[in-house]
Amino acid sequence: MQDYQSSLGNTDSRKFETFSYLPAMNAEQTRQQVQYIIDKGWNPSIEHTEPQHAAGSYWYMWKLPMFGETDVDAILQELENCHAAHPNNHVRLLGLDNFAQCAGTSMVIYRGETV
């Protein structure tokens, strides 16, 4: 078992979800994750926050969740729009499950610069 060093004092070491322990996803892998959310029937939602507040439970919502959206390119464009509007913030994508009333998945797509 490999130990992943993470600490509050070292902002580069902080992990946010399962995918953060893996190498960064490329564009095609991100597209596949968005398609997975659509295939599951989950509603995509985009959130962002400052890197120093990322460990907290409150992230800012980027617009309303994209209820019923099935266009992968539209979702990817909204992720890019959020990142362009908040280039120093972390931007994450959630797949909201209507039936379970929770997030079925959550992943940081863009990482903001740490101070």
Side-chain angles (χ1 to χ4, degrees), residues 35-101:
Q35 186 63 56
Y36 178 80
I37 289 170
I38 292 168
D39 292 346
K40 295 292 281 184
W42 295 340
N43 294 303
S45 182
I46 299 169
E47 297 177 340
H48 64 94
T49 194
E50 299 86 358
Q52 63 270 26
H53 298 126
S57 59
Y58 181 79
W59 286 49
Y60 308 108
M61 184 181 289
W62 172 257
K63 301 184 179 179
L64 292 174
M66 302 172 78
F67 297 109
E69 182 60 67
T70 59
D71 183 357
V72 173
D73 291 321
I75 298 165
L76 291 171
Q77 185 61 54
E78 282 302 319
L79 284 163
E80 191 174 313
N81 292 346
C82 181
H83 178 60
H86 305 282
N88 297 324
N89 285 8
H90 294 327
V91 176
R92 73 178 174 187
L93 172 66
L94 296 95
L96 304 177
D97 184 341
N98 286 347
F99 299 104
Q101 298 289 309

